[in-house]
Amino acid sequence: MLENESNIEKEIKMIPEPTLRRFPQYIHLLKRLRKESTQYISSTTIADELELDSIQVRKDLAITGVVGKPKLGFDIDELISALSNILNWDNSTDAFLVGAGSLGSALLGYKNFNQYGLNIVAAFDNDPNKIGKTISGIEVLPLEKFGNMVERMKVHIGIITAPPEAAQKIAEVMVQSGIQAIWNFSSIHLKVPFNIIVEDALLTQSLGVLTHTLSEKLKKEIAVLEKQ
Amino acid sequence: MLENESNIEKEIKMIPEPTLRRFPQYIHLLKRLRKESTQYISSTTIADELELDSIQVRKDLAITGVVGKPKLGFDIDELISALSNILNWDNSTDAFLVGAGSLGSALLGYKNFNQYGLNIVAAFDNDPNKIGKTISGIEVLPLEKFGNMVERMKVHIGIITAPPEAAQKIAEVMVQSGIQAIWNFSSIHLKVPFNIIVEDALLTQSLGVLTHTLSEKLKKEIAVLEKQ
DNA sequence: TAGATTGTTAATCGATTAACAATC
DNA sequence: TAGATTGTTAATCGATTAACAATC
């Protein structure tokens, strides 16, 4: 009972988003290291591998509640299970996907998501050419069935891989059906009630940073050449 | 000549990364609004649409050099072209993709990238079952040909959609071949020389935020129910 | 003109980094 | 023990937000 209360307390203070975003990186690295049968790892090693600051790593890991041993470091298995628990990657959560185009099909074929707590159980579209097709073992259903099935299967996560013009409407259908969290792969900003979680995959954001940084680099190189 | 100098000066001060990451969002919104034939838009409207702070929007837009008109706002077309120029989305940059699995195939099929300055011109893999296949009009070539073709076609961008075990080695091949920027879809952290640009797509990071936030939400709701 | 909006300088906030004592 | 490493408190840094003058 007491332990339970302190757990709730622990969860009340929100994890800073930058920290939360580093957690998956830690998990990936730790799982790789575990295969090499090392039992302990120091914050310095983690920092080196991920090109972070070791103080930052220690502060991040402090949030998990796992305590390290001076001179030894942290128990890798302990870290993996603590981090997985925080991200809820130790449970499998069902999700419905809407938009069975190329990106949607890719996600349906990406069985690795199961490793990260996500289980895509059904796909929907309103294109008659796609409805009825089976992609990676999952049949594409007509969008009209979405609402009923969300209720019946108590699904909480919706994934939008539809084109931008359709995305907002799909989000609204999802919210009305009782979806609580949306993973948005469309490039538009979705407007949903405050209590609905939206996480944007933001592929074009990432691409923008890449194309900008590269063009700056090339410009600088040309500038240097011209000076000579 | 003078103008040229001031241009170089302008580009020397780096754009803060959070700002840079909002630029694609602005472009998406502005393109959508332009279709509705509005010519001007205020920072307040942009902020409302994207759920940002209007002061932040003004500060971001100030970086583009586009000046707004009091009481009217900013010229949408001017903003689009200034932002596109900064991201280098008004040019088309060729890219090679390595890893013709499900995610790689999806990206090959995603013709929208052309709109964002990226043109995937060839795909590579070392799986004999995939080599020779044509995906969305692009033939999958053996990885051994990568180096030669990068040199011949002067390609600067490499995209990694291979499994994590293979990713680091592919990155090294890319660097040796003269690739300058890598768009990394694998979950591992790539180690490359300091002057090579790496941008991670970080799908699992995004997924981690989603699954964590949802589980916290559900926990809270259960806690509230139990109190009653 | 009055009022909406821009653009800039200053204040705040929160994350990162530094410093250092505690520990095995 | 000596030294590497943890964990915490304080300092720094940079982005966000506030305040307000300038402008059409």
Side-chain angles (χ1 to χ4, degrees):
Chain A
M1 189 59 186
L2 249 170
E3 202 184 21
N4 218 329
E5 271 178 22
S6 73
N7 268 340
I8 287 173
E9 240 169 64
K10 215 187 283 165
E11 281 144 26
I12 254 116
K13 49 177 121 156
M14 289 239 294
I15 298 171
E17 187 155 324
T19 296
L20 190 56
R21 291 193 176 272
R22 282 188 291 273
F23 280 178
Q25 307 271 89
Y26 294 142
I27 293 186
H28 296 313
L29 174 66
L30 294 167
K31 283 192 177 167
R32 185 157 66 79
L33 290 170
R34 193 178 49 179
K35 279 184 196 151
E36 297 164 10
S37 79
T38 21
Q39 195 190 344
Y40 288 96
I41 189 162
S42 72
S43 58
T44 333
T45 311
I46 295 177
D48 280 354
E49 290 287 331
L50 301 178
E51 294 177 88
L52 298 173
D53 190 302
S54 73
I55 306 169
Q56 185 169 66
V57 172
R58 278 206 295 289
K59 230 176 190 178
D60 284 348
L61 297 185
I63 288 173
T64 65
V66 175
V67 280
K69 291 198 178 120
K71 208 163 152 70
L72 263 177
F74 299 85
D75 183 295
I76 294 184
D77 285 319
E78 259 188 82
L79 280 182
I80 292 176
S81 65
L83 289 166
S84 301
N85 182 256
I86 289 173
L87 296 181
N88 200 27
W89 283 6
D90 46 5
N91 285 107
S92 187
T93 311
D94 286 347
F96 281 175
L97 180 146
V98 177
S102 62
L103 189 58
S105 305
L107 297 189
L108 292 173
Y110 213 65
K111 291 302 166 199
N112 298 33
F113 284 140
N114 278 305
Q115 215 178 318
Y116 310 124
L118 191 80
N119 188 29
I120 308 178
V121 290
F124 299 84
D125 209 300
N126 55 12
D127 177 350
N129 295 320
K130 283 170 189 158
I131 294 166
K133 272 192 180 172
T134 298
I135 301 169
S136 304
I138 294 167
E139 197 192 356
V140 178
L141 306 168
L143 196 52
E144 298 88 59
K145 290 197 176 173
F146 187 86
N148 270 329
M149 286 190 67
V150 166
E151 279 180 49
R152 225 176 51 213
M153 297 178 70
K154 302 206 190 312
V155 168
H156 295 138
I157 298 180
I159 303 172
I160 299 181
T161 46
E165 315 82 65
Q168 178 60 39
K169 249 195 190 120
I170 291 169
E172 282 159 20
V173 169
M174 285 184 170
V175 170
Q176 275 171 5
S177 309
I179 287 288
Q180 312 242 27
I182 297 174
W183 200 13
N184 176 33
F185 281 81
S186 88
S187 50
I188 72 157
H189 177 83
L190 300 176
K191 286 196 169 170
V192 299
F194 78 99
N195 60 329
I196 303 296
I197 298 157
V198 175
E199 173 62 27
D200 298 307
L202 295 173
L203 286 189
T204 62
Q205 173 181 299
S206 171
L207 181 56
V209 175
L210 186 84
T211 52
H212 166 77
T213 315
L214 176 60
S215 91
E216 289 300 296
K217 186 189 173 195
L218 297 177
K219 266 188 226 165
K220 251 175 239 165
E221 285 172 2
I222 290 168
V224 168
L225 283 176
E226 277 177 353
K227 259 194 189 166
Q228 296 173 341
Chain B
M1 188 62 184
L2 250 171
E3 202 184 20
N4 218 330
E5 271 177 21
S6 73
N7 268 340
I8 286 173
E9 239 170 66
K10 215 187 285 166
E11 280 144 26
I12 254 118
K13 49 177 123 155
M14 290 239 293
I15 298 170
E17 187 156 323
T19 296
L20 190 56
R21 291 193 176 274
R22 283 188 290 271
F23 281 178
Q25 307 271 91
Y26 294 142
I27 294 186
H28 296 313
L29 174 66
L30 293 168
K31 283 191 178 169
R32 184 157 65 78
L33 289 170
R34 193 179 46 179
K35 278 183 197 152
E36 295 164 13
S37 78
T38 21
Q39 195 189 345
Y40 288 97
I41 189 164
S42 72
S43 58
T44 334
T45 311
I46 296 177
D48 281 353
E49 290 287 331
L50 300 179
E51 294 178 89
L52 298 172
D53 190 303
S54 75
I55 305 169
Q56 185 169 66
V57 172
R58 278 204 296 287
K59 230 178 189 175
D60 285 348
L61 298 186
I63 288 174
T64 65
V66 174
V67 281
K69 292 199 177 117
K71 208 164 150 69
L72 262 177
F74 299 85
D75 183 295
I76 294 184
D77 285 319
E78 258 189 81
L79 280 183
I80 291 175
S81 65
L83 289 166
S84 301
N85 182 257
I86 289 173
L87 296 181
N88 199 28
W89 282 6
D90 45 4
N91 286 107
S92 187
T93 311
D94 286 347
F96 282 176
L97 180 146
V98 177
S102 63
L103 189 57
S105 306
L107 297 190
L108 291 173
Y110 213 65
K111 292 301 167 199
N112 297 35
F113 284 140
N114 278 306
Q115 215 179 319
Y116 310 126
L118 191 80
N119 187 29
I120 307 178
V121 290
F124 299 84
D125 208 301
N126 54 13
D127 179 349
N129 295 320
K130 282 171 190 158
I131 294 166
K133 271 193 181 171
T134 299
I135 300 168
S136 304
I138 294 167
E139 196 191 357
V140 179
L141 306 168
L143 195 52
E144 300 88 58
K145 290 197 177 172
F146 187 86
N148 270 328
M149 286 190 66
V150 166
E151 278 180 51
R152 225 175 53 212
M153 295 179 70
K154 301 205 191 315
V155 168
H156 294 139
I157 298 180
I159 304 172
I160 299 181
T161 46
E165 316 82 67
Q168 178 60 40
K169 255 206 183 108
I170 292 169
E172 283 158 20
V173 169
M174 285 184 170
V175 170
Q176 275 172 6
S177 309
I179 286 287
Q180 312 241 29
I182 297 173
W183 199 13
N184 176 34
F185 281 81
S186 88
S187 51
I188 73 157
H189 177 84
L190 301 176
K191 287 196 169 172
V192 298
F194 78 98
N195 59 330
I196 303 296
I197 298 158
V198 175
E199 173 62 27
D200 298 306
L202 295 173
L203 286 189
T204 62
Q205 174 180 298
S206 170
L207 181 55
V209 175
L210 186 85
T211 51
H212 166 77
T213 315
L214 177 60
S215 91
E216 288 300 297
K217 186 190 173 195
L218 296 177
K219 267 187 224 164
K220 249 173 243 165
E221 285 174 2
I222 289 168
V224 168
L225 283 176
E226 276 176 354
K227 259 191 187 168
Q228 296 173 339

